[in-house]
Amino acid sequence: SQTIHQWPATLVQPVGSPLSLECTVEGTSNPNLYWYRQAAGRGLQLLFYSVGIGQISSEVPQNLSASRPQDRQFILSSKKLLLSDSGFYLCGGAKNIQYFGAGTRLSVL
Amino acid sequence: AQRVTQPEKLLSVFKGAPVELKCNYSYSGSPELFWYVQYSRQRLQLLLRHISRESIKGFTADLNKGETSFHLKKPFAQEEDSAMYYCALKSGGGATNKLIFGTGTLLAVQP
Protein backbone atom coordinates (compact mmCIF):
# COMPACT_ATOMS: atom_id res chain seq x y z
CA SER A 1 0.00 0.00 0.00
CA GLN A 2 1.03 3.59 -0.54
CA THR A 3 2.83 5.43 2.29
CA ILE A 4 3.71 9.12 2.45
CA HIS A 5 6.79 10.11 4.45
CA GLN A 6 7.05 13.73 5.46
CA TRP A 7 9.58 15.51 7.66
CA PRO A 8 10.24 17.24 9.91
CA ALA A 9 7.16 17.03 12.12
CA THR A 10 7.72 20.50 13.56
CA LEU A 11 9.92 23.36 12.47
CA VAL A 12 10.62 26.80 13.90
CA GLN A 13 12.29 29.22 11.52
CA PRO A 14 13.10 32.94 11.69
CA VAL A 15 11.58 35.38 9.23
CA GLY A 16 13.72 35.68 6.12
CA SER A 17 15.28 32.23 6.41
CA PRO A 18 14.95 29.59 3.65
CA LEU A 19 12.67 26.57 3.83
CA SER A 20 12.80 23.06 2.45
CA LEU A 21 10.18 20.47 3.32
CA GLU A 22 10.49 17.04 1.80
CA CYS A 23 7.88 14.44 1.00
CA THR A 24 8.57 10.97 -0.34
CA VAL A 25 6.20 8.25 -1.44
CA GLU A 26 6.58 4.52 -0.96
CA GLY A 27 4.64 1.66 -2.47
CA THR A 28 3.59 3.14 -5.79
CA SER A 29 5.02 4.73 -8.91
CA ASN A 30 4.03 7.83 -10.86
CA PRO A 31 1.56 9.12 -8.26
CA ASN A 32 0.02 12.58 -8.33
CA LEU A 33 1.55 14.57 -5.48
CA TYR A 34 0.12 17.53 -3.56
CA TRP A 35 1.13 20.14 -1.02
CA TYR A 36 -1.62 21.54 1.21
CA ARG A 37 -1.50 24.19 3.92
CA GLN A 38 -3.81 24.69 6.84
CA ALA A 39 -3.65 28.11 8.43
CA ALA A 40 -5.28 28.71 11.81
CA GLY A 41 -9.07 28.47 11.59
CA ARG A 42 -9.07 27.46 7.93
CA GLY A 43 -9.44 24.27 5.98
CA LEU A 44 -6.74 22.53 4.00
CA GLN A 45 -5.84 24.69 1.02
CA LEU A 46 -4.16 23.14 -2.01
CA LEU A 47 -0.89 24.94 -2.79
CA PHE A 48 0.74 22.83 -5.51
CA TYR A 49 0.17 19.60 -7.34
CA SER A 50 2.28 17.51 -9.67
CA VAL A 51 1.29 14.83 -12.15
CA GLY A 52 4.87 13.85 -12.99
CA ILE A 53 8.59 14.61 -12.68
CA GLY A 54 9.28 18.30 -13.24
CA GLN A 55 5.57 19.10 -13.66
CA ILE A 56 4.29 21.57 -11.06
CA SER A 57 0.99 23.42 -10.99
CA SER A 58 0.46 26.26 -8.55
CA GLU A 59 -3.01 26.84 -7.18
CA VAL A 60 -2.52 30.09 -5.29
CA PRO A 61 0.02 32.91 -5.61
CA GLN A 62 2.41 32.88 -2.69
CA ASN A 63 5.90 33.01 -1.32
CA LEU A 64 6.49 29.28 -1.78
CA SER A 65 7.60 27.04 -4.63
CA ALA A 66 7.55 23.31 -5.25
CA SER A 67 9.73 20.90 -7.16
CA ARG A 68 9.55 17.25 -8.12
CA PRO A 69 13.08 16.09 -8.93
CA GLN A 70 12.18 12.39 -8.77
CA ASP A 71 9.03 10.38 -9.33
CA ARG A 72 8.39 9.84 -5.63
CA GLN A 73 9.87 13.03 -4.19
CA PHE A 74 8.07 16.34 -3.76
CA ILE A 75 9.76 19.36 -2.18
CA LEU A 76 8.23 22.57 -0.84
CA SER A 77 10.62 25.51 -0.67
CA SER A 78 10.95 29.16 0.09
CA LYS A 79 13.92 31.50 -0.33
CA LYS A 80 12.75 33.86 2.43
CA LEU A 81 10.04 32.93 4.89
CA LEU A 82 7.33 35.38 5.91
CA LEU A 83 5.35 35.38 9.15
CA SER A 84 2.26 34.50 7.11
CA ASP A 85 3.91 31.25 5.98
CA SER A 86 3.27 29.76 9.43
CA GLY A 87 0.86 26.86 9.36
CA PHE A 88 0.44 23.14 9.01
CA TYR A 89 1.77 21.70 5.75
CA LEU A 90 0.49 18.39 4.48
CA CYS A 91 1.78 16.27 1.63
CA GLY A 92 -0.64 14.04 -0.25
CA GLY A 93 -0.29 11.43 -2.94
CA ALA A 94 -2.81 9.73 -5.16
CA LYS A 95 -3.24 7.14 -7.80
CA ASN A 96 -6.99 7.02 -7.27
CA ILE A 97 -7.68 7.91 -3.65
CA GLN A 98 -5.52 10.47 -1.84
CA TYR A 99 -3.25 9.42 1.00
CA PHE A 100 -1.48 11.84 3.33
CA GLY A 101 1.71 12.26 5.28
CA ALA A 102 1.82 13.14 8.97
CA GLY A 103 2.29 16.84 8.26
CA THR A 104 4.77 19.52 9.30
CA ARG A 105 3.89 22.33 11.69
CA LEU A 106 5.88 25.39 10.68
CA SER A 107 6.22 28.37 12.95
CA VAL A 108 7.88 31.46 11.49
CA LEU A 109 9.02 33.86 14.19
CA ALA B 1 -16.91 28.84 -7.42
CA GLN B 2 -16.11 25.42 -6.05
CA ARG B 3 -16.44 25.36 -2.30
CA VAL B 4 -17.04 23.04 0.64
CA THR B 5 -18.70 24.36 3.79
CA GLN B 6 -18.70 22.68 7.18
CA PRO B 7 -20.66 25.08 9.41
CA GLU B 8 -19.77 23.50 12.75
CA LYS B 9 -16.25 23.79 14.18
CA LEU B 10 -17.16 21.59 17.13
CA LEU B 11 -19.87 19.02 17.70
CA SER B 12 -20.16 17.53 21.16
CA VAL B 13 -22.48 14.57 21.81
CA PHE B 14 -22.90 11.88 24.43
CA LYS B 15 -22.05 8.25 23.80
CA GLY B 16 -24.98 6.49 22.17
CA ALA B 17 -26.49 9.67 20.74
CA PRO B 18 -26.98 10.15 16.99
CA VAL B 19 -24.38 12.16 15.10
CA GLU B 20 -24.75 14.31 12.01
CA LEU B 21 -21.77 16.26 10.68
CA LYS B 22 -22.92 18.77 8.11
CA CYS B 23 -21.29 19.39 4.75
CA ASN B 24 -22.54 21.56 1.90
CA TYR B 25 -20.82 22.04 -1.42
CA SER B 26 -20.84 24.32 -4.42
CA TYR B 27 -19.92 22.71 -7.71
CA SER B 28 -21.11 23.00 -11.29
CA GLY B 29 -21.24 19.52 -12.66
CA SER B 30 -21.43 16.06 -11.16
CA PRO B 31 -19.65 16.17 -7.79
CA GLU B 32 -17.49 13.50 -6.25
CA LEU B 33 -17.40 13.84 -2.47
CA PHE B 34 -15.41 12.32 0.36
CA TRP B 35 -15.20 12.30 4.13
CA TYR B 36 -11.74 12.19 5.69
CA VAL B 37 -11.02 11.65 9.38
CA GLN B 38 -8.03 12.44 11.58
CA TYR B 39 -7.86 10.69 14.94
CA SER B 40 -5.60 12.05 17.66
CA ARG B 41 -1.92 11.60 16.78
CA GLN B 42 -2.76 9.88 13.49
CA ARG B 43 -2.61 11.07 9.94
CA LEU B 44 -5.55 12.15 7.83
CA GLN B 45 -7.25 9.14 6.24
CA LEU B 46 -10.18 8.43 3.99
CA LEU B 47 -13.37 7.45 5.82
CA LEU B 48 -15.78 7.06 2.93
CA ARG B 49 -16.71 8.37 -0.49
CA HIS B 50 -20.14 8.83 -1.94
CA ILE B 51 -19.65 6.75 -5.07
CA SER B 52 -19.02 3.67 -2.95
CA ARG B 53 -22.31 4.03 -1.07
CA GLU B 54 -20.74 2.14 1.82
CA SER B 55 -20.94 2.24 5.59
CA ILE B 56 -17.60 2.51 7.39
CA LYS B 57 -17.40 2.21 11.19
CA GLY B 58 -21.16 2.73 11.25
CA PHE B 59 -20.96 6.03 9.36
CA THR B 60 -22.92 6.75 6.20
CA ALA B 61 -23.20 9.79 3.97
CA ASP B 62 -25.75 10.39 1.25
CA LEU B 63 -25.26 12.86 -1.55
CA ASN B 64 -28.27 15.17 -1.85
CA LYS B 65 -27.88 17.10 -5.09
CA GLY B 66 -31.04 19.14 -4.49
CA GLU B 67 -29.70 20.48 -1.21
CA THR B 68 -26.04 20.25 -2.36
CA SER B 69 -25.24 18.40 0.84
CA PHE B 70 -23.19 15.38 1.89
CA HIS B 71 -23.85 15.08 5.61
CA LEU B 72 -22.09 12.35 7.61
CA LYS B 73 -24.31 10.36 9.95
CA LYS B 74 -24.05 7.68 12.59
CA PRO B 75 -27.02 6.46 14.64
CA PHE B 76 -25.09 5.77 17.87
CA ALA B 77 -21.85 7.61 18.60
CA GLN B 78 -18.94 5.84 20.29
CA GLU B 79 -16.10 7.45 22.26
CA GLU B 80 -13.60 6.20 19.68
CA ASP B 81 -15.38 8.30 17.04
CA SER B 82 -13.90 11.43 18.60
CA ALA B 83 -11.77 12.98 15.87
CA MET B 84 -11.51 15.77 13.32
CA TYR B 85 -13.71 15.19 10.27
CA TYR B 86 -13.17 16.87 6.90
CA CYS B 87 -15.53 16.90 3.96
CA ALA B 88 -13.79 17.11 0.57
CA LEU B 89 -14.83 17.69 -3.03
CA LYS B 90 -12.87 16.37 -5.98
CA SER B 91 -11.94 19.23 -8.25
CA GLY B 92 -10.25 19.49 -11.60
CA GLY B 93 -10.67 17.34 -14.64
CA GLY B 94 -8.85 14.30 -15.88
CA ALA B 95 -6.56 12.55 -13.44
CA THR B 96 -5.49 15.53 -11.37
CA ASN B 97 -7.48 14.29 -8.34
CA LYS B 98 -7.35 17.66 -6.61
CA LEU B 99 -9.40 17.99 -3.44
CA ILE B 100 -11.14 21.02 -1.99
CA PHE B 101 -11.52 20.61 1.79
CA GLY B 102 -13.94 22.12 4.25
CA THR B 103 -12.63 23.68 7.45
CA GLY B 104 -13.36 20.53 9.41
CA THR B 105 -15.56 19.62 12.37
CA LEU B 106 -14.17 18.35 15.64
CA LEU B 107 -16.42 15.61 16.98
CA ALA B 108 -16.18 15.07 20.72
CA VAL B 109 -18.08 12.07 22.09
CA GLN B 110 -18.56 12.33 25.85
CA PRO B 111 -18.86 9.20 28.02
Side-chain angles (χ1 to χ4, degrees), chain A residues 74-95:
Chain A
F74 202 27
I75 298 171
L76 184 68
S77 304
S78 173
K79 292 182 179 177
K80 289 186 178 181
L81 283 168
L82 306 172
L83 287 173
S84 56
D85 291 325
S86 293
F88 183 73
Y89 290 84
L90 195 61
C91 179
K95 291 288 278 190

Side-chain angles (χ1 to χ4, degrees), chain B residues 52-84:
Chain B
S52 299
R53 301 186 66 83
E54 58 201 342
S55 173
I56 304 293
K57 299 183 179 182
F59 284 98
T60 59
D62 291 319
L63 177 63
N64 186 323
K65 290 187 178 181
E67 295 182 358
T68 59
S69 68
F70 188 56
H71 303 327
L72 184 67
K73 299 177 184 179
K74 185 170 182 176
F76 308 104
Q78 302 298 315
E79 289 180 68
E80 54 266 30
D81 296 329
S82 296
M84 192 74 176

